[in-house]
Amino acid sequence: MATHKVSITDIARKTGLSTTTVSRVLSGKAEEYRIGKKSQQKIKEAAKEMHYVPNHFAANLRTGKSNTIALILPSLSNPFFASIASEINAEIRRFGYITIISDSDENPEIEKMELEQLRARNIEGLVIAPCSDHREHIQELYEEGLPVVCVDRYFEDLDIPYVSTDNYEGAKMATRHLIENGHKVISCIQGVRSSTPNRLRVKGFTETMNNAGLHDYSVVGDDFTVQNGYLETKLLLQQRKRPTALFALSNTIAMGCMKALKEENIRIPDDISLITFDEHPYLDYLATPLSCVAQPVSDISKIAIKFLFAKLDNGDFKPSQVLLKPKIQIKESVGKMR
């Protein structure tokens, strides 16, 4: 049997006060309209006793505000993006807003469709890691005045604000670490080729190798998935001249690498070295803890949301485009060449 939802009319009837007075008290405007303390207390006690739940949808219709921020990420199955989602959601909650989180599944058409649906929900801001170079649907919202901030992935040729890691520098750090340990034949397994972080990581890798006079390298792969890491590692192991080290451009790719290496009874780091881009707590609990390039996920999230709400508070505020410095964490997965 359906239960009756308590309304401000019910509370007004119980207290003998007007619905206008009840509405002003329950919406926090009692002081503004100089409503007496006794009346305030009477209304609040009645609301508590009757288990009154505010109708936020109706309030949104009246005020035109939804107190909702949209967050669209390429893959929530990727531990990096799952961490980003958790951090950003916590930051948005601190401002009294709620987050609608969406997964574009690395598909620009899904991203566009979900953004259209979120737009219809009267979102007040958008945080997005674009899954491709397609940008018209995002640029349109930004130019219409919706506060938009890109995280991790971004458009280098647009003025849309973003917060990301210096992926180019991070890749150079990882590649130098392999070279300093005597590795000369190195393979880089990349992710989504069109994404800005991937392009910059590949650039950092190839330039560092070339500057060191090392040209016996390869760049393979096309997705930030476990399967991509697994298949590409299997193929690399079939080559006549195997690489002595692998640079996985995400921890999901690295997981696939490890699965393939285990199946072939190839040990890390005795037989091959492995370093990955992206930190995650599970990396420390592996039989051989993985060296990695750690991204400042918490800082990325905090700065992005700070930019977003500064824009919400002041429409004239111009958020910046920020690259944060990564850190290399040296563990046990990179061995020295004998």
Side-chain angles (χ1 to χ4, degrees):
M1 182 181 294
T3 57
H4 172 67
K5 185 174 181 179
V6 177
S7 68
I8 60 173
T9 302
D10 296 322
I11 297 173
R13 190 178 297 118
K14 181 177 178 66
T15 59
L17 297 167
S18 71
T19 55
T20 301
T21 300
V22 173
S23 175
R24 287 170 175 172
V25 170
L26 296 180
S27 61
K29 297 180 178 179
E31 300 302 323
E32 180 182 345
Y33 289 96
R34 299 181 180 179
I35 297 172
K37 297 294 183 184
K38 287 185 178 180
S39 295
Q40 290 185 46
Q41 184 177 356
K42 190 175 183 180
I43 291 168
K44 290 176 182 177
E45 287 176 354
K48 184 176 181 180
E49 181 184 329
M50 299 173 74
H51 303 289
Y52 169 74
V53 178
N55 187 336
H56 291 296
F57 179 72
N60 292 343
L61 289 177
R62 291 193 302 271
T63 64
K65 289 175 62 67
S66 65
N67 279 27
T68 302
I69 303 299
L71 172 62
I72 303 181
L73 298 170
S75 173
L76 290 171
S77 63
N78 184 322
F80 172 75
F81 287 119
S83 297
I84 284 279
S86 178
E87 292 276 355
I88 285 179
N89 184 51
E91 286 300 307
I92 289 173
R93 191 187 304 122
R94 288 199 317 108
F95 285 88
Y97 280 59
I98 62 169
T99 315
I100 298 179
I101 303 174
S102 180
D103 186 331
S104 66
D105 197 28
E106 295 283 9
N107 186 322
E109 291 305 315
I110 292 177
E111 180 183 272
K112 182 183 291 187
M113 178 189 68
E114 295 197 343
L115 192 51
E116 287 175 355
Q117 293 177 348
L118 290 166
R119 187 180 189 180
R121 291 172 178 260
N122 194 29
I123 56 172
E124 293 189 48
L126 171 66
V127 182
I128 186 169
C131 68
S132 72
D133 277 337
H134 296 269
R135 77 278 302 278
E136 293 78 14
H137 52 298
I138 301 171
Q139 187 175 7
E140 181 182 347
L141 286 177
Y142 177 70
E143 291 176 349
E144 287 178 0
L146 181 75
V148 178
V149 179
C150 291
V151 290
D152 183 55
R153 304 183 187 183
Y154 54 95
F155 304 111
E156 294 178 278
D157 57 343
L158 296 181
D159 62 353
I160 296 176
Y162 61 75
V163 187
S164 185
T165 301
D166 189 336
N167 291 281
Y168 173 72
E169 184 59 35
K172 287 172 62 178
M173 290 177 181
T175 309
R176 281 198 297 263
H177 180 57
L178 294 175
I179 293 172
E180 287 166 359
N181 279 276
H183 295 278
K184 298 179 180 179
V185 184
I186 304 172
S187 289
C188 169
I189 305 181
Q190 66 177 333
V192 177
R193 299 184 184 190
S194 62
S195 71
T196 305
N198 187 80
R199 289 200 304 267
L200 292 171
R201 291 172 193 177
V202 170
K203 181 181 179 183
F205 168 70
T206 56
E207 286 189 4
T208 303
M209 292 293 288
N210 290 329
N211 290 340
L214 302 174
H215 307 293
D216 205 354
Y217 63 83
S218 60
V219 179
V220 299
D222 60 3
D223 203 1
F224 287 111
T225 61
V226 174
Q227 183 182 35
N228 178 49
Y230 174 79
L231 293 176
E232 294 298 340
T233 302
K234 283 283 192 178
L235 292 172
L236 288 168
L237 295 177
Q238 301 306 312
Q239 293 183 357
R240 183 179 59 82
K241 191 174 185 180
R242 288 182 177 179
T244 65
L246 300 176
F247 179 17
L249 294 196
S250 76
N251 52 28
T252 44
I253 293 173
M255 288 169 66
C257 296
M258 289 185 289
K259 180 183 178 184
L261 293 172
K262 185 176 181 181
E263 287 181 357
E264 300 293 331
N265 294 315
I266 295 176
R267 299 166 300 170
I268 305 170
D270 297 339
D271 303 320
I272 195 168
S273 290
L274 175 62
I275 191 167
T276 183
F277 214 107
D278 292 341
E279 177 191 22
H280 196 276
Y282 77 77
L283 297 181
D284 290 332
Y285 295 95
L286 299 172
T288 303
L290 284 191
S291 296
C292 66
V293 177
Q295 301 196 63
V297 172
S298 181
D299 291 341
I300 289 172
S301 304
K302 284 182 169 62
I303 293 172
I305 299 308
K306 186 174 182 179
F307 282 170
L308 190 78
F309 280 94
K311 182 67 174 177
L312 276 169
D313 290 340
N314 178 7
D316 294 328
F317 175 73
K318 299 292 184 185
S320 304
Q321 297 175 327
V322 175
L323 291 179
L324 301 177
K325 188 173 181 179
K327 294 181 180 179
I328 188 167
Q329 296 188 351
I330 299 172
K331 297 175 186 175
E332 300 170 26
S333 63
V334 176
K336 286 186 177 293
M337 288 296 293
R338 297 181 181 86

